[in-house]
């Protein structure tokens, strides 16, 4: 489709400002821009057609099944959007006086209280922009915590090899050395852990259930060991969707945590964001939280600056309107609904896994939590068909493929996370499609390396894009 | 309720297929000690009707002012309805990062257009697809500007204090030393800058228009930087670029800032949009996603995520940043806003904000007891010294459903005007100031 | 502004192509005497921002009550947000009548589904795609029921008075004589009906639940009609069919009514949706568009407008009605609502409304000075005789942000309760009634 | 795509009602429904996917050019929808007390005043559901007007053969006899008019500009002649978009009028409706208007029942929320914008006409108003290609075809109405496509009777649909 710049026509206009009675003020020429503002010139009707037609070329959860592992692509209830669209939320300034934004502070406070109950933390804040940002912020708190204690030698963060890339990246953004430990199916080997645990360790970052969708049985021992050497335990809550109402990270021994509200709490992913990186901690870390935090004093809400605050990671209070959606979702589900969501996320994953295990290799057998990984190496070896090819073929069936090639410890990995908002009928359909694709692979009648066959666009020349990057119009 | 789709009957079938009799069995790996036997201590679930009614009540506890003279990093601009409509179209809202380019061309193309618009606005060559917000974007830009073995950064004291806070946080994380440059007449002091020991300095960061609304002499600072082999980062209000000299024109190779003025709701501070624009030399250092143009195998023009080797999911601890989820939908919305306002509209918004602010400044300083604190040229914000208590002023304004200026001190306020204010509204504001005085 | 897209330069090119020098030349056929030389005496155009602000002010002059006990033909039911969201999707909203079926399958299929749902709800075989509203649908149904050479129609006095007004208008147009059937204990009097001279009568029209909320003995009336070779038209509240006996079950072959309760905003009376459902024998008499199932030439299941020979654009003066533009988007919305509530939900809405109304009736009639006017079984509305002035009651309620019952007379009111009311709200209402009394 | 019924699964639920504390009340079994309520059972996610995907299969103005003649498919400004969505409009009852709905009455009053200024009428009401309904209502008023005067012999309505089908249909709904008079290009032949004008005529219904897009020069003479014999003049305002701010139907001699607000005043067509049939009349007909009308008394608005009111044609005040959109549009455009809209609608039509006249036959030469008709008979004769085939081929180019086979007096008619909201670039593109199609016809390389070639669906078997009508699921 033509770019909006290619649709630009001289002197076409969309939005017109109100008339004004205020004359032009002079300004010294030296302040002024001399280059042209090369923005499109386009009428409202053409703008609408451009974006309406672009939106049709974008597959979202509203269009079909989207079992993208680790991303928790739930259906996003429309009522949440209606809440976020309330002018009382969308049209208020973060610089307004406390007394004029009590409702906004209530949203933050209520979300904090509910999520602490769910996770077993003592305080939760929402300033980080997304999960990775909360990881960065938490590790910064941990760094400052040890600094404040005068314990300056804790320079290492232990991270299992199955971890999401953001974990090591966030650690190194904080100047920590990343100690990667080998895991088996993402499960921590206690002996290996012992080998790396010493006084130079600041924290262990753990995802549990891990990125293979497995719950680490040894969790209590792990956190105990980490604490024993004076280090802290960080919980990557990207996978909280498996265990809400079932068990609390706080009880497992974690000291701080992040949640991706855009995953577990069902806010739309927006083509990559915005999300909310909810950051929770136990009370001994509260003094280090980014400023300000919200407290309640006699029925009214106030901002408060923690004494050892790491300062700030965004300018205001994070992606507030996303938080409004999450709170709406929380209220909607309530105590029972939240547990029910997790249980059914796990049920759905196990159902798909059980059915697919007849056709695919699994890197491990047994039950999974809310997601599971298939290993397609045997198809690669036997037929030269890669996990990627299977995904591309899935596009022909109007479903979004699972996550490919993650976690890195499984070769030819396909990682499915159906979520609880999908019905059995949708899972059955996906299973049917995957079985059909396996038959196609085995029959050899269709060259899957050329899939997809029926989409508007075919496979992309990624090498071309990277070799000579064109990343803006007209360069 | 819970949005669980499956019926009880289907659940039974599924359990059978798995070979178990209850969902609890799936949780066998969870230690007994932590397995919850009591329900969560939360309210019971509600219907969507009750939730919406409740949220409406909470929203009503916030005040929406008829007019506002408060800016300080979050601005009330006019947002066309078409921008809101288009940015909420469901394909955009409910998709994830466009990993599967074949079915995500709408998303990818719109980000490519966004990148182009940001580059055009800044006169620079490279833009990423988004950073969380202006403050974090400034921090990421700072990190981009770091030179090996030089761990000091000079920052202007006239940068937004919240941004300084964030910069200090990121600096602490990276073990970077921050040294502040004094201000003189509200502007970054070139004298002070020239006196700094530049030994281990990587870069200089300034904001223009700065926190006090004043237009900095970025050109001199960037020349100074070049002369001393330092990097220069400019934090800039993108709306001002409809009118003011661009980073590119001033020799700045790394610009960043908050794109909220480009069509995002104030929304109590978010979701906003941090942007970074840079010269080509930063292409492989810029964090976050980047969309590039290519073709599909049938030679159809198309777009993909590119240069991913910078990113955490590939480089892990060696990545340029840990950013993963970003502000894609905000970027889309700003892109739509930029197209809706277009070449001429964006100039008008800038010029109108400038004119309104200058008119108000003239009027205010005509009132006895109100004067400008500093005399420099400004964009749409300026600092007023007042004999009256700012709290009193703001109280009087509030009674008229007007949000008053940002309080800098007991007798000092930062006044902001955008194109959203009419002359009538401004005159009313002036009138109230006049009366409070008496 | 004007949404004219073309620039001045382009306009010039266009004029050149046409071979003229100004647009006015195109208007040469307009007689000088009527060609306007002065601009219209209207306000100047405004920006969309000013318009929205103005309209917001006007909207604020209307009162949105926290709870309402007023029905009388327009009902406050709970409408899921998803229904609003889906019915405003732009393909649905901005298309016209689906004349080009190849690119309108979404629209066509959704109407087909709507027709099916209406048929299912009524237990009848035929439904059109929509009529303007319940009153006009009743008139069109009346016209469908007419027999050659019989120009009289009997209508129950217990039909909604606005509908009776409309029926009288249509009847005057068609030179049809209307004769009213008396009511007895709030119900259409079977005795009175039986005494009518049926000589030139085509049909009988009743409403159930009737205007007073009472459930009519439609079965007897339809049997009477059959026995006397008359057509029987039932006006019915579709929500009540989640619970009450259907037209089909009662031998009625022609049902119609207002579908507003099925998910449409009250919106000061519109857009609403008139529906008509009928037995097969009416297939070629039903007015308005009908969508039928077919296949495309590749044998793909598809939908088209069908049986168009009934319609004005083909039959002109012989058409069954002049309807052209209709209420398609309302029909779509109702269809989405019916699916959202589903088989169980629709029952619950009906049952809940019924229960709320019966609870309230019990409570009200326990108060001294309040009694039911008639004793028959009712759905979700009932008439109360009160010793207190209804205006006083409603004033007291209004002070509590409650909209009181529909006033039938100084001491007579029609009370309505739907599932949108909670017990707390009902109890508060009762409390106020109790107090007004004193 | 599967029907929603086919997606129904037992006990699936979407919306859940709030909990209630009120117990079930008993009702005699004889009142109860015994048959099953055969509505779908479907979860919110599946509902959303169903309709989101259906909406993608529906081409609207937001998707591309839609020059459907006589239908005025303008671009619909989004701000209008925002106005209609204001809760102060959408959540009020038509049965509320006058004092509680003053804003709603103001909307009606302001729309009335503005539209009267534009049309030269004295009063405008909005009770009819659409244009045809307003025609019906106006003719009813005329009927009653003569009845009230005791003039009972006026049983005829004169309608030119070029008229829209709703005109004769509305007349016969009022029991009038329709006298169709032959026109030349829709222009009234004064002699023929004279022949049919007598004391049995109640009214002339005229569309001016007519359905061929021509302004009838003789208009003043026509209305004079009609009045001379005691009959009234009715103006079908479906084509008002050509002449707003240029001339007023009232001044042309018309006594009553309807406007399609969904056309000229830019409210979305919604796949066929709802619209608003605005009905205007001169003061001598005001007493006959449907009840109630809105009047203004000392700054407040009141309902009023005209003494000889024809009663009602809808239960309340018509499609009010559509009217809100139209008023928003009116305020937006204002005095100048309204005239500018008409001028540019006419400019656009003439430009397309001028360019297309090089390739196509036109039934008449000279300037048109806001729309024009092409006659494709020569292609039918020369190549066996019908207007329909050309339209179907247009679908391949992602544009909506013009109106086909209307007005009936032109064979193989294609009727284009570009409207002012389309830019020259869009017209040029359409012209290019049409020229390309003509080349295809002439070259004979492509069998256009099989078009479209690239759409998801191909031509429909309409005969099958009509022969054995399936008009609901499961019958
Ligand atoms: C396990 C895990 N950790 C962290 C993240 C990072 O979260 P975000 O994308 O919100 O920054 C993700 C996101 O995919 C994840 O799956
Ligand atoms: C000339 C003309 N008259 C009347 C009508 C009927 O208007 P509506 O569809 O609003 O009933 C139309 C609609 O297409 C028309 O074009």
């Amino acid at each position: 489709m033509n770019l909006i710049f290619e649709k630009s026509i001289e002197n076409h206009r969309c939005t017109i400002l109100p008339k004004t009675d205020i004359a032009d003020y002079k300004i010294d020429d030296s302040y002024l821009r001399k280059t042209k503002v090369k923005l499109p010139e386009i009428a409202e009707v053409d703008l609408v057609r451009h974006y309406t037609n672009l939106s049709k070329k974008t597959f979202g959860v509203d269009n079909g099944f989207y079992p993208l592992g680790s991303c928790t692509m739930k259906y996003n209830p429309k009522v949440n959007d209606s809440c976020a669209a309330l002018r009382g939320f969308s049209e208020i300034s973060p610089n307004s006086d406390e007394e004029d934004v009590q409702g906004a502070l209530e949203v933050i406070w209520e979300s904090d209280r509910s999520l602490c109950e769910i996770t077993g933390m003592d305080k939760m804040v929402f300033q980080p922009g997304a999960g990775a940002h909360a990881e960065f912020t938490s590790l910064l708190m941990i760094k400052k915590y040890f600094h404040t204690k005068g314990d300056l030698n804790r320079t290492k963060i232990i991270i299992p090899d199955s971890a999401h890339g953001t974990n090591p990246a966030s650690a190194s953004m904080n100047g920590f050395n990343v100690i990667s430990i080998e895991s088996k199916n993402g499960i921590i080997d206690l002996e290996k852990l012992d080998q790396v645990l010493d006084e130079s360790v600041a924290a262990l970052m753990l995802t549990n259930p891990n990125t293979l969708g497995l719950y680490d049985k040894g969790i209590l021992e792990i956190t105990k060991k980490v604490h024993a050497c004076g280090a802290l335990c960080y919980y990557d809550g990207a996978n909280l969707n498996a265990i809400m109402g079932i068990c609390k990270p706080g009880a497992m021994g974690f000291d701080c945590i992040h949640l991706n509200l855009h995953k577990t709490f069902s806010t739309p992913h927006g083509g990559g964001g915005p999300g909310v990186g909810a950051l929770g901690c136990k009370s001994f870390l509260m003094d280090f939280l980014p400023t300000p935090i919200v407290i309640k004093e006699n029925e009214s809400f106030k901002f408060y600056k923690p004494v050892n605050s790491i300062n700030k990671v965004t300018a205001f209070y994070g992606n507030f309107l996303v938080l409004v959606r999450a709170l709406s979702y929380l209220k909607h589900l309530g105590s029972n609904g939240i547990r029910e969501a997790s249980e059914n996320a796990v049920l759905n994953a196990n159902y798909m896994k059980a059915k697919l295990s007849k056709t695919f290799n699994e890197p491990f057998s047994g039950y999974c939590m809310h997601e599971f990984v298939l290993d397609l190496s045997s198809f690669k070896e036997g037929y030269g068909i890669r996990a990627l090819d299977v995904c591309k073929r899935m596009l022909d069936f109007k479903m979004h493929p699972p996550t490919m090639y993650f976690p890195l410890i499984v070769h030819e990995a396909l990682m499915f996370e159906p979520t609880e908002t999908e019905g059995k009928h949708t899972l059955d359909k996906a299973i049917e499609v995957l079985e059909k694709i396996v038959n196609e692979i085995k029959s050899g009648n269709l060259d899957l390396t050329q899939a997809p066959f029926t989409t508007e666009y075919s496979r992309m020349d990624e090498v071309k894009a990277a070799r000579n990057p064109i990343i803006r119009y007209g360069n | 309720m819970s949005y669980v789709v499956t019926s009880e009957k289907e659940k039974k079938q599924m359990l059978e297929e798995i070979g178990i009799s209850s969902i609890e069995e799936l949780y066998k790996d969870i230690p007994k000690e932590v397995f919850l036997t009591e329900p969560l201590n939360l309210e019971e679930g509600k219907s969507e009707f009750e939730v919406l009614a409740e949220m409406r009540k909470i929203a009503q506890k916030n005040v929406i002012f008829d007019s506002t003279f408060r800016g300080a990093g979050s601005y009330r601009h006019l947002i066309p309805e078409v921008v809101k409509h288009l940015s909420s179209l469901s394909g955009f809202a409910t998709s994830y990062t466009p990993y599967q380019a074949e079915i995500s061309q709408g998303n990818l193309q719109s980000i490519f257009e966004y990148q182009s618009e940001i580059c055009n606005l800044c006169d620079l060559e490279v833009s990423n697809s988004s950073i969380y917000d202006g403050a974090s974007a400034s921090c990421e830009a700072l990190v981009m500007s770091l030179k090996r073995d030089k761990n000091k950064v000079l920052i202007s004291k006239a940068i937004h204090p919240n941004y300084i806070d964030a910069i200090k946080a990121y600096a602490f994380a990276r073990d970077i030393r921050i040294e502040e440059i004094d201000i003189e007449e509200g502007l970054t002091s070139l004298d002070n800058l020239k006196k700094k020991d530049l030994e281990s300095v990587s870069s200089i960061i300034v904001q223009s228009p700065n926190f006090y609304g004043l237009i900095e002499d970025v050109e001199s600072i960037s020349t100074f930087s070049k002369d001393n082999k330092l990097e220069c980062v400019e934090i800039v209000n993108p709306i001002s670029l409809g009118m003011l000299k661009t980073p590119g024109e001033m020799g700045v190779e790394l610009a960043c800032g908050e794109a909220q003025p480009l069509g995002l709701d104030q929304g109590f501070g978010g979701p906003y949009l941090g942007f970074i624009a840079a010269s080509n030399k930063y292409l492989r250092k810029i964090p976050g996603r980047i969309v590039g143009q290519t073709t599909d195998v049938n030679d159809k023009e198309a777009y993909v995520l590119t240069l991913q080797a910078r990113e955490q999911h590939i480089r892990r601890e060696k990545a340029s940043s840990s950013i993963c989820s970003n502000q894609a939908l905000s970027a889309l919305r700003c892109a739509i806003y930029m197209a809706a306002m277009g070449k001429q509209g964006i100039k008008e918004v800038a010029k109108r904000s400038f004119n309104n602010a200058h008119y108000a400044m003239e009027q205010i300083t005509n009132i006895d007891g109100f004067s400008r604190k500093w005399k420099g040229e400004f964009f749409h914000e300026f600092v007023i010294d007042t004999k009256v208590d700012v709290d009193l002023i703001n109280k009087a304004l509030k009674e008229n459903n007007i949000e008053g200026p940002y309080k800098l001190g007991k007798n000092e306020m930062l006044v902001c005007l955008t194109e959203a204010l009419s002359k009538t509204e401004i005159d009313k504001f002036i009138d109230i100031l006049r009366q409070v005085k008496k």
Side-chain angles (χ1 to χ4, degrees), chain A residues 349-369:
Chain A
N350 278 284
Y351 176 71
M352 270 195 95
K353 182 171 185 292
K355 283 222 143 184
L356 288 174
S357 67
K358 295 169 189 160
T359 325
F360 290 89
N361 278 339
E362 297 172 291
F364 73 96
S365 57
Y367 305 141
C368 62
M369 290 283 100

Side-chain angles (χ1 to χ4, degrees), chain A residues 33 39 110 182 194 204:
Chain A
R33 174 176 192 132
L39 292 180
E110 265 212 53
E182 220 179 286
D194 280 336
L204 166 76

Side-chain angles (χ1 to χ4, degrees), chain A residues 38-93:
Chain A
K38 284 175 284 177
L39 292 180
E41 299 181 87
I42 193 159
E44 186 164 322
V45 60
D46 295 314
L47 184 74
V48 165
R49 287 178 185 160
H50 184 72
Y51 282 104
T52 304
N53 290 329
L54 281 182
S55 90
K56 284 172 88 167
K57 292 172 188 265
T58 311
F59 185 97
V61 169
D62 282 9
N63 299 104
F65 191 37
Y66 212 128
L68 197 64
S70 206
C71 297
T72 317
M73 297 296 286
K74 300 188 180 192
Y75 165 70
N76 313 122
K78 298 304 165 197
V79 65
N80 298 352
D81 295 333
S82 304
C83 292
L86 292 169
R87 290 181 69 216
F89 294 134
S90 66
E91 301 201 3
I92 52 172
S93 165

Side-chain angles (χ1 to χ4, degrees), chain A residues 409-431:
Chain A
I409 54 171
V410 177
H411 305 293
E412 298 299 323
L414 283 188
M415 184 188 199
F416 287 86
E417 181 180 10
T419 89
E420 77 282 4
T421 64
E422 301 297 337
K424 174 174 178 293
H425 59 290
T426 305
L427 310 182
D428 286 338
K429 176 89 217 281
I431 292 159

Side-chain angles (χ1 to χ4, degrees), chain B residues 29-44:
Chain B
D29 285 343
I30 297 185
K32 287 235 158 42
E33 300 93 307
V34 300
F35 196 91
L36 291 173
T37 48
E38 293 290 303
L40 291 171
N41 183 17
L42 295 175
E43 284 184 41
E44 262 188 64

